[in-house]
Amino acid sequence: MAALPLATVVVDMDEPYVQEIIVSALGKYGPQIAARTAAEHERADSTGGRVMHWREYERIDWDAVHRSSTVFSSAYCYRKGLIRKAQMAFNIKLYAAKHPESVLHRGVPETWIFDLDDVDYLDEALMECFEVEDGMRANEGVADPRQRQQFILKPSLTGRAAGIHVFDTRERLEELLAREFESDDEDEGDEGDGEENEQCGGAYQAVSQIREWVIQRYINRPLLLDTHGGRKFHIRAYVLAVSDFKVYVYRHMLALFAPQPYSASAGDLDDQRAHLTNTCLQAKTDGFNESTAVNLFWDLDLPRDKLDGIFAQICAILTDTFAAV
């Protein structure tokens, strides 16, 4: 009689590519780990062993996870503080206020939570983030874009750079918000509160349904590398959080570059190809070349001590972010 597996992993992901990778990775552990689809798990006899639900969030059997000490999940049940920008910003603000020595004071841009049901109520909404209003007013009469205060608007719960815009005037902010709210009619059939629709596969909540945003002070003097044509980039770090909490940072991080060179003096804040570095935006552009858009972090043209220092900062920021949440 064949030995029973030490654990069964129920793999149930919407994206076939992700499903295949997970099953293939689990297969390296041999008979100790049994990977099953949801249908196979329902048909199988209970072995009494450990069960891991590696599934889309809304299909995890949370009752079983909470009821049994041998049933586990690939996600936290309560995770809004990590995936909703506004809630994360609120938690970080509280934590930073209690910990003046925290790296979050300089590791996170100044952030304001911005609630708006209709663009007609913009005046009332800006009362909660008067620093933004003051910054836009101070920009009046300042011709040099490099000397202007710039801000970036982000919906609290969207993915793939949806609804993200850079602005520096009240007129532009009104125009951007009006554009987003006008899309309500087009998205009328796309219902849902977003809580069960957070994964990229089914997209996140439709931008037109968003009523909660964050505004951040825009970093308009980013690190630029001559070897990459002076294009903006961000670092994608993969993090594994276990229990409550051990947090592991995968050293093989990625540097994701914008398709167009960055210039703070261009004055064209609408050019997302220069300001936003999300690969999903680049893939839509003509002549997209993944080899120039995605690079390994440790291969960047920077001194090794600089790379080591950036990695140490990332670990410190993640430590305090999870502590805050």
Side-chain angles (χ1 to χ4, degrees), residues 303-314:
R304 179 62 191 220
D305 62 335
K306 172 74 77 173
L307 295 173
D308 288 336
I310 293 173
F311 182 71
Q313 290 181 61
I314 288 173

Side-chain angles (χ1 to χ4, degrees), residues 95 247 314-324:
Y95 184 85
V247 180
I314 288 173
C315 292
I317 290 170
L318 285 167
T319 296
D320 280 13
T321 298
F322 273 86

Side-chain angles (χ1 to χ4, degrees), residues 15 35 49 52 65 107 125 134 138 154 160 164 166 170 174 179 183 187 199 206 219 238 265 307:
E15 178 57 57
M52 170 75 170
V65 172
D134 291 344
K154 303 177 182 179
R160 300 181 175 180
I164 296 180
V166 182
R170 169 68 180 260
E174 290 182 0
R179 188 190 309 170
S183 64
D187 298 324
Q199 301 300 324
I219 301 173
Y238 294 93
S265 61
L307 295 173

Side-chain angles (χ1 to χ4, degrees), residues 2-17:
L4 295 174
L6 297 179
T8 298
V9 182
V10 184
V11 185
D12 182 16
M13 305 301 292
D14 287 337
E15 178 57 57
Y17 172 73

Side-chain angles (χ1 to χ4, degrees), residues 121-255:
Y121 301 107
L122 181 59
D123 285 334
E124 290 84 349
L126 285 175
M127 291 177 65
E128 299 299 321
C129 43
F130 61 88
E131 298 95 335
V132 178
E133 179 84 23
D134 291 344
M136 293 186 293
R137 190 177 297 114
N139 287 336
E140 297 175 3
V142 180
D144 188 347
R146 295 171 296 183
Q147 303 301 321
R148 299 167 70 90
Q149 297 185 49
Q150 296 175 342
F151 304 91
I152 186 165
L153 176 73
K154 303 177 182 179
S156 183
L157 186 61
T158 59
R160 300 181 175 180
I164 296 180
H165 304 282
V166 182
F167 66 95
D168 61 0
T169 66
R170 169 68 180 260
E171 292 73 24
R172 176 170 170 78
L173 177 60
E174 290 182 0
E175 175 191 337
L176 294 171
L177 290 170
R179 188 190 309 170
E180 298 296 353
F181 279 101
E182 283 172 3
S183 64
D184 267 328
D185 293 338
E186 300 174 10
D187 298 324
E188 214 167 75
D190 185 13
E191 297 180 355
D193 62 3
E195 183 63 26
E196 298 184 354
N197 198 27
E198 292 157 356
Q199 301 300 324
C200 257
Y204 287 56
Q205 190 171 352
V207 177
S208 62
Q209 299 172 3
I210 294 290
R211 297 298 178 262
E212 186 178 56
W213 312 68
V214 296
I215 295 177
Q216 290 184 310
R217 198 172 292 280
Y218 185 52
I219 301 173
N220 57 9
R221 294 181 59 192
L223 173 64
L224 303 174
L225 302 178
D226 291 337
T227 51
H228 289 80
R231 293 176 293 144
K232 271 186 64 174
F233 70 95
H234 78 268
I235 300 167
R236 173 168 292 176
Y238 294 93
V239 178
L240 173 66
V242 181
S243 190
D244 57 349
F245 286 104
K246 291 183 179 178
V247 180
Y248 302 88
V249 183
Y250 189 48
R251 284 188 62 86
H252 296 287
M253 303 182 297
L254 301 177

Side-chain angles (χ1 to χ4, degrees), residues 256-271:
L256 307 182
F257 286 81
Q260 295 295 326
Y262 176 81
S263 174
S265 61
D268 187 5
L269 300 183
D270 255 334
D271 190 358

